[in-house]
Each structure stands twice: as structure tokens, then as C-alpha cells.
């Protein structure tokens, strides 16, 4: 069967978290680098579509192609390991410790950042003909995105920070749902369908994804966006990473593990009421009782019948 039932799904999530915790440093870095790079290219692709067509929905519909590709090739995003690796620690898998968890998160963060920033530099060369001209229309749009989602939040003070954090929580709620939805199916088509919808949703809704932002904001700085590195770190990247962590583990990892991995005992069911006997069965029972007591059965008079010879 291609469908994986929820209890088996949770077991797969815990197994995946354990495997990532024990993965070698080399493989963790390579897989994280490639994940960050492919997702960054997908973000550049989606922005290009949006700018050239004027249809943001079309860009959002096609953005998940990058996420699906990196997942199918076994690469890791920080948002995914935020959800999976803590489950191995929670399930008390042998050898999984808090130190291993933090090591995995740190290496994946660095790998994602390196991959996204590499693509940011490469795409900046594309947008500016090797820095010989001003950024083209797509490059200018990326710079505008960086301004609006850093100093734009800062202009609203605490309310802006709250909005940023909530958008980050909602983002990894959806992204981690996509990661887990891919595990529900064993077929490639089923995995892609499971991932596509939540990823499309988060991108179109403008939620904050820490790895996408690792591309958009450094790229915006390179292309002349009017914001600083501190604006990017304080008013986007750091709150987004924390919000992604909260959203993924709270609304996806812990909820699935609690209800399908540690299912609570069922409540006691009330006893079923006794059904009254059917009419025919009641008459038969009375006849049988009467015969046993020497009394006439129902329908009999009790008067001896005279038989003439």
C-alpha cells in the first residue's frame, strides 16, 4: 500500500530524527548546503515569475517545485530538523542527547546559510550582468522585499515583532506539515502532492521562512536594498528562526507524537442494553415453561378432548 497510517508515520518520523542526529558532519553539511541552495533558486524562480507575469499566485503555485526536489533527493532544511530530531530525543532513542540535537541544528543552519548565500551571489551576477549594470526588474523587486520585511516590521515596533514571529510560527507549521505529508505516501506522486499544498500556502501568504530569507535578504543587500545587516538579523532572521522552531515542533511534531505515538487509553464504554425477546420467542418460552409446570400452553383450553370410536 502507498498510504502510511498515522502510527507508522510517527514511527518513521522518530526514525528519521534519530538518523539525522547520528549523521556524519560531512553528510549533514553537504545535504544542508544543497537544500539551502535549491530552495534559494526556487525562491528566485518564484519572484521572477511574479514580476514578469504580475501574478503572485502563479509564483506561489510553482515555488514548491524546489522544495519537492530537495526533499526527494534527501537534503535537509533547518525547518525540517526542527520538527523531526526532537522526537528522537523525546522517544528516548539510545544515544540521542540534547548535545547531538543542538549539533545537528547548528550544522544544518550553517549549511543552509552557505547554500542560500552562494545562490544569492550567483543570482546577483545574473541580475546585474556581472555587476556591470543596475539590477534588472527582478533584482530591484528582491531589494524591495528585503526592505519591507525588515524596516517595515521595525516601523511598527513591538506589534511588528509580534507579527513577524507569528508569521514565522505559521510558516513552519505549514512547511513541517509538508515534510510529514511526504512520509504519508511511499510513491513519488503521493509525496509530491502531499508536499505541494502546504508549501504553496506558506509562500503565497507571505509567511516567514528562515532559509528562504537567507537568500532574499543577503541578495537584497547585495542588490542595493535600503536596510542593514543588523536590520536583517534583528528584524527578520533571528525572530524567524525562533518562530520556525516553535511552529514546527509545537503544531506538527509534538501533536502527532502525542496522539499517534503515545496514544492515550480509551474511555470506558457503557454496557450495551439487553434487547427484549421477540414475540415468537416469548410465546415459545411460555409454552416451554407451562409444559414444565404441567399447565396448558398458550392457545390450549386445558379441557380433555373426547375422541369417539
Amino acid at each position: 500500500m502507498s498510504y502510511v497510517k498515522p502510527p507508522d508515520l510517527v514511527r518513521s518520523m522518530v526514525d528519521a530524527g534519530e538518523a539525522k542526529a547520528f549523521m556524519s558532519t560531512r553528510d549533514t553539511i553537504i545535504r544542508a548546503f544543497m537544500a539551502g541552495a535549491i530552495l534559494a533558486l526556487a525562491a528566485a524562480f518564484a519572484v521572477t515569475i511574479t514580476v514578469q507575469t504580475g501574478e503572485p499566485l502563479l509564483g506561489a503555485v510553482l515555488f514548491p517545485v524546489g522544495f519537492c526536489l530537495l526533499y526527494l533527493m534527501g537534503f535537509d532544511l533547518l525547518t525540517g530538523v526542527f520538527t523531526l530530531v526532537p522526537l528522537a530525543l523525546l522517544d528516548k532513542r539510545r544515544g540521542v542527547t540534547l548535545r547531538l540535537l543542538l549539533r545537528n541544528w547548528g550544522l544544518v543552519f550553517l549549511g543552509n546559510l552557505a547554500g542560500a548565500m552562494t545562490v544569492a551571489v550567483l543570482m546577483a551576477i545574473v541580475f546585474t550582468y556581472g555587476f556591470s549594470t543596475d539590477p534588472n526588474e527582478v533584482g530591484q523587486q528582491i531589494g524591495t522585499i528585503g526592505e519591507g520585511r525588515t524596516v517595515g516590521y521595525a516601523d511598527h515596533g513591538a506589534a511588528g515583532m509580534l507579527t513577524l514571529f507569528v508569521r514565522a510560527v505559521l510558516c513552519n507549521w505549514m512547511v513541517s506539515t509538508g515534510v510529514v505529508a511526504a512520509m504519508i505516501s511511499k510513491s513519488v506522486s503521493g509525496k509530491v502532492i502531499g508536499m505541494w499544498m502546504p508549501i504553496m500556502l506558506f509562500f503565497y501568504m507571505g509567511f516567514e521562512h528562515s532559509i528562504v530569507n537567507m537568500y532574499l535578504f543577503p541578495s537584497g543587500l547585495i542588490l542595493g536594498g535600503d536596510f542593514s545587516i543588523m536590520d536583517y538579523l534583528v528584524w527578520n532572521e533571528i525572530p524567524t528562526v525562533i518562530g520556525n522552531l516553535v511552529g514546527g515542533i509545537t503544531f506538527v511534531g509534538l501533536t502527532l507524537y502525542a496522539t499517534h505515538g503515545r496514544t492515550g487509553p480509551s474511555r470506558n464504554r457503557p454496557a450495551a442494553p439487553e434487547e427484549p425477546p421477540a414475540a415468537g420467542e416469548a410465546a415459545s418460552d411460555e409454552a416451554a415453561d407451562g409444559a414444565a409446570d404441567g399447565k396448558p400452553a398458550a392457545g390450549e383450553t386445558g379441557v380433555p378432548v373426547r375422541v369417539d370410536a
Side-chain angles (χ1 to χ4, degrees):
M1 291 179 62
S2 62
Y3 173 65
V4 177
K5 295 181 178 179
D8 296 328
L9 167 67
V10 171
R11 198 172 303 114
S12 297
M13 292 169 64
V14 177
D15 290 344
E18 181 182 10
K20 293 179 190 304
F22 286 110
M23 190 181 296
S24 70
T25 300
R26 184 200 65 171
D27 291 338
T28 303
I29 289 287
I30 291 174
R31 296 181 191 192
F33 177 90
M34 291 305 299
I38 292 175
L39 199 70
L41 279 170
F45 170 60
V47 173
T48 302
I49 292 172
T50 299
V51 170
Q52 293 184 349
T53 66
E55 291 291 342
L57 179 59
L58 186 58
V61 167
L62 296 175
F63 170 73
V65 66
F67 185 89
C68 294
L69 285 173
L70 72 90
Y71 179 87
L72 292 175
M73 287 189 282
F75 299 146
D76 288 325
L77 291 172
L78 184 64
T79 43
V81 297
F82 271 166
T83 301
L84 298 177
V85 179
L87 298 184
L89 181 65
L90 197 63
D91 202 56
K92 299 179 180 178
R93 291 295 176 93
R94 186 162 57 90
V96 178
T97 62
L98 180 61
R99 180 175 173 275
L100 271 185
L101 179 146
L102 295 176
R103 168 188 169 277
N104 174 265
W105 287 359
L107 292 176
V108 173
F109 177 90
L110 293 175
N112 287 166
L113 180 63
M117 292 193 70
T118 300
V119 172
V121 173
L122 296 177
M123 290 307 299
I125 294 173
V126 172
F127 293 145
T128 62
Y129 283 89
F131 302 107
S132 64
T133 66
D134 291 335
N136 63 13
E137 192 178 9
V138 177
Q140 293 172 10
Q141 180 62 28
I142 290 176
T144 302
I145 293 172
E147 291 175 25
R149 289 163 67 169
T150 51
V151 294
Y153 288 125
D155 289 343
H156 292 276
M161 183 61 76
L162 176 63
T163 302
L164 167 60
F165 178 76
V166 171
R167 283 183 174 180
V169 170
L170 292 171
C171 178
N172 207 25
W173 186 350
M174 290 296 97
V175 173
S176 292
T177 297
V179 171
V180 172
M183 297 180 177
I184 289 176
S185 175
K186 293 182 179 178
S187 70
V188 172
S189 58
K191 289 177 181 293
V192 169
I193 292 171
M195 287 185 279
W196 206 280
M197 290 182 285
I199 302 305
M200 176 181 65
L201 188 156
F202 108 73
F203 196 85
Y204 185 71
M205 295 292 288
F207 296 157
E208 299 287 351
H209 189 274
S210 52
I211 294 83
V212 171
N213 292 353
M214 287 175 185
Y215 162 72
L216 289 176
F217 293 84
S219 186
L221 286 169
I222 295 171
L223 296 170
D226 188 17
F227 62 99
S228 67
I229 293 177
M230 285 304 294
D231 290 332
Y232 161 56
L233 293 176
V234 175
W235 285 100
N236 194 285
E237 191 60 39
I238 294 173
T240 298
V241 168
I242 298 171
N244 286 171
L245 171 61
V246 172
I249 190 63
T250 302
F251 293 108
V252 181
L254 287 181
T255 50
L256 282 170
Y257 183 78
T259 190
H260 292 304
R262 298 285 183 181
T263 305
S266 301
R267 294 174 62 85
N268 294 329
R269 298 183 182 181
E274 294 184 1
E275 296 182 2
E281 294 178 356
S284 299
D285 292 344
E286 288 178 5
D289 292 343
D293 298 339
K295 297 179 181 178
E300 297 180 352
T301 61
V303 178
V305 177
R306 178 182 174 184
V307 180
D308 295 331

